Each structure stands twice: as C-alpha cells, then as structure tokens.
Amino acid sequence: LSHGRRVVAVNAENEMIMNANKNTILKDSHDVALHPVWRSVESSVSAVSRLVALARRYNRRVHVLHITSADELEVLARAR
C-alpha cells in the first residue's frame, strides 16, 4: 500500500488464523460444512482491522472484496 494512488481491492482473511483453524477444526476432514467454521469471523475481522490500519498509515483507499459478518461492517463503519 505504500506505493501508488489507486484503490486497492483486497480479500481480507488472516492466513495465520485460518491455518491454525485448519489444524484444530478441520484436521483431515473434507467436510464442506466446516468451511465457515475454519474460515472464521475472527480471521476476517483481524484482517479487515489490519487493512484499515495500513490504509490509514499509507493514506490509501481500499475496497474489501466481500464481507462475511456484521463484525467486519462495524470495523469498516468506524473507519469511515
């Protein structure tokens, strides 16, 4: 984000949280019903919060490609 002026589009998910969730929740399962569990709200909120902080730091506009929870909307609403 430190270079350029265009709006940056981001799929905001915290990879470290998701990988930890894969190990503890998903394990060896391929059950698609677990998808919203291991790709948690915590992961998304963490990533959106970090993105907002970076956008402010570098004075850049960002676009989050998809929102999966009201918690993420709250973070974005406070950042406006």
Side-chain angles (χ1 to χ4, degrees):
L1 293 177
S2 63
H3 301 289
R5 294 184 310 203
R6 293 184 179 179
V7 174
V8 177
V10 178
N11 178 26
E13 294 174 311
N14 183 313
E15 188 81 18
M16 289 175 43
I17 292 173
M18 287 194 320
N19 285 335
N21 288 346
K22 281 183 196 178
N23 292 332
T24 59
I25 297 167
L26 195 59
K27 299 177 183 165
D28 293 329
S29 175
H30 296 288
D31 184 356
V32 295
L34 293 174
H35 182 84
V37 179
W38 67 270
R39 293 180 91 94
S40 65
V41 171
E42 176 192 17
S43 166
S44 298
V45 169
S46 170
V48 168
S49 298
R50 183 169 185 239
L51 178 62
V52 166
L54 288 169
R56 281 192 176 138
R57 178 178 178 181
Y58 294 110
N59 197 32
R60 289 292 294 273
R61 294 187 61 199
V62 294
H63 175 86
V64 179
L65 292 171
H66 63 85
I67 301 297
T68 57
S69 74
D71 295 346
E72 292 165 85
L73 283 176
E74 288 179 30
V75 172
L76 292 169
R78 285 193 309 264
R80 289 192 113 200

